[in-house]
Amino acid sequence: MARYVFITGGVVSSLGKGLASAALGAVLQARGYKVRLRKLDPYLNVDPGTMSPTQHGEVFVTDDGAETDLDLGHYERFTGRSANKRDNITTGRIYSDIIAKERRGDYLGATVQVIPHVTDAIKNFVLEGNEEFDFVLVEIGGTVGDIEGLPFFEAIRQLGNELPRGSAVYLHLTLMPYIPSAGELKTKPTQHSVAELRSIGIMPDVLLVRCDRPIPASDKRKLALFCNVRESAVIQGLDVGSIYDVPLAYHQEGLDREILAAFGIKDAAEPDLAAWRDVSERLHNPEGTVNIAIVGKYTGLKDAYKSLSEALAHGGIANRVKVNLNWIDSEIFERDDPAPYLEHIHGILVPGGFGERGSAGKIEAARFARLKGVPYFGICFGMQMACIEAARNTAGIRSAGTTEFGPTKEPVVGLMTEWVKGNDKETRSAAGDMGGTMRLGAYPAQLTRGSRVADIYGTTRISERHRHRYEVNMDYRKLLEKNGLLFSGVSPDGKLPEIVERTDHPWFIGVQFHPELKSRPFEPHPLFASFISAAVEQSRLV
């Protein structure tokens, strides 16, 4: 039977609950256990699909088409297990399901309440489908004390009583700030956070205390005394050089040992962390450096491109180089010459995005890369802008545009109205709902034999994750190919373009899908490994 670790946070947000969950899962997995990670998000959105990346960070998409929290990306990268739509749920999803049941009369006239109906729905979600796993790690979003999180905390409190004895452990992540004027670390925020948690009936078994310097033994004893945990269960979470150092660091501090001890497990095998040590060694001892420009519209919040930045790091791991990221707001290129910003750059990446703001700057970035021979990687919107740039500046279609921004005489990019998913035809309209209506999840593609991308993948049949409403118009294929932009990847039925590449360029590839979502430190995505390899070659020319 599965054992459950409930991971809560306190004091402030952004302490790294998702990373802590992923790292703990990775170390337990390295001990030979089967691990599943799940995320409970208290916000009222049904999913993060309609939320601005500048507020919530990126939307991570699973193979089965779920738009989820970015922490699921950490879970996948650290454990290698692909997440699915049953690994993330929100208050909005729970309430929409409950209200739908109430309208159907499923509750037989009962008064529908937070307890037991909402908490029961949360518990059912947590418990469902875990038969094959040894450990299920459940992260609760937000911090203890948030009003919207109360039903989730109540649900995991109830589970602590309802599960067999010894089947549930509570890990609480807090902050221990250093006060420069006092010259000391302060335990009080953690004490207050634990007191808040205890006031709703949850007693933490292990404390993971984030800090920027080692915690003195006296402060550990103080936290243990006032927070009612064993001294050995006060684990310091020091800042590290890379997120991929976290599993090694937390194991060294004894996090996994304390979790197992809380379950009464004493004979667990030691973890095999050789792969993690290899990744860490490659990150900290690179054999070179490349500079990559990310020209996007959400550069003010790096989490908006979290999987992207990690996939680039994975490409660096594959090539044993350090990847320096230069974040450039694409709107800058709408008023300034790109050359001063890009002359020291070894590769240009234009990521996905929605809306007209900054699009002209992305087109300029693609034009610069094409003319200067700089490696270019266009992802989703970045591919579409590269096609519009080619249409305007190499094929002579000066009015080339996209219907995403309104009517256009030359719709090189247009709204998708239908496509095939499995054996079914999906249809959409411009007047439909925004949420959950894009082409989402994994779809196959057929690559042109002998093309660059076929060589990179080592196959002509691939499957990648999508998240988009608009697609390059295949009516322009022949004209664009005549001017050097090869459509080297298409859907199996030949109707939808998936990949374009320039045949007259050292490395110029645009993809409609999001390859960053499938990249992992131990298995860097081949496109990112190849892109960074091309950037290494470019660095020798600059």
Side-chain angles (χ1 to χ4, degrees), residues 463-489:
S463 176
E464 294 283 2
R465 298 178 188 176
H466 294 66
R467 183 175 183 256
H468 60 105
R469 267 190 197 87
Y470 292 82
E471 187 83 59
V472 175
N473 190 338
M474 289 289 267
D475 291 343
Y476 293 88
R477 177 178 182 174
K478 288 184 179 179
L479 184 57
L480 290 173
E481 288 193 329
K482 183 180 178 181
N483 287 276
L485 193 64
L486 173 68
F487 283 59
S488 55

Side-chain angles (χ1 to χ4, degrees), residues 5 8 19 39 78 116 138 163 212 233 255 261 271 278 289 327 341 343 365 395 434 446 496 512:
V5 182
T8 60
L19 280 174
K39 176 74 183 289
F78 277 64
V138 183
L163 289 166
D212 64 354
L255 176 61
D278 179 60
T289 301
W327 301 90
Y341 297 90
E343 59 186 7
M434 295 287 286
Q446 188 70 37
L496 301 176
Q512 186 55 72

Side-chain angles (χ1 to χ4, degrees), residues 193-399:
S193 182
V194 171
E196 182 76 26
L197 197 61
R198 291 168 66 183
S199 73
I200 56 178
I202 297 174
M203 183 74 70
D205 298 284
V206 180
L207 294 180
L208 179 55
V209 186
R210 293 283 286 113
C211 50
D212 64 354
R213 63 202 66 211
I215 302 174
S218 59
D219 283 342
K220 283 190 175 182
R221 287 193 294 271
K222 186 175 181 181
L223 281 175
L225 177 64
F226 284 93
C227 297
N228 197 34
V229 299
R230 295 176 181 273
E231 188 176 334
S232 62
V234 179
I235 308 297
Q236 64 180 9
L238 288 165
D239 296 340
V240 292
S242 163
I243 64 171
Y244 301 113
D245 292 327
V246 175
L248 296 170
Y250 284 2
H251 170 66
Q252 184 176 351
E253 294 295 334
L255 176 61
D256 52 314
R257 289 190 293 274
E258 282 302 317
I259 292 293
L260 292 174
F263 283 115
I265 300 173
K266 300 178 181 179
D267 56 352
E270 283 298 304
D272 180 3
L273 297 172
W276 286 103
R277 284 190 285 270
D278 179 60
V279 166
S280 181
E281 192 275 331
R282 285 171 174 262
L283 283 169
H284 294 294
N285 298 286
E287 297 175 357
T289 301
V290 295
N291 299 320
I292 303 298
I294 299 178
V295 183
K297 64 184 294 186
Y298 309 124
T299 54
L301 180 68
K302 305 302 186 293
D303 274 356
Y305 301 113
K306 190 60 181 175
S307 291
L308 189 67
S309 60
E310 295 309 317
L312 287 166
H314 304 162
I317 291 171
N319 289 278
R320 296 195 73 100
V321 295
K322 179 182 179 182
V323 179
N324 290 329
L325 300 183
N326 293 256
W327 301 90
I328 301 176
D329 188 330
S330 57
E331 288 186 277
I332 291 174
F333 294 164
E334 296 177 6
R335 60 178 184 271
D336 295 345
D337 180 4
Y341 297 90
L342 300 174
E343 59 186 7
H344 64 293
I345 291 298
H346 307 130
I348 298 169
L349 192 151
V350 175
F354 295 93
E356 188 171 6
R357 181 176 65 83
S359 60
K362 294 180 180 183
I363 291 172
E364 286 302 307
R367 180 172 182 270
F368 180 92
R370 177 178 60 81
L371 294 175
K372 300 296 183 181
V374 178
Y376 177 86
F377 196 178
I379 295 177
C380 196
F381 195 75
M383 168 187 164
Q384 296 171 8
M385 295 302 100
C387 289
I388 290 175
E389 190 280 325
R392 290 178 180 177
N393 299 318
T394 69
I397 309 173
R398 300 306 302 171
S399 59

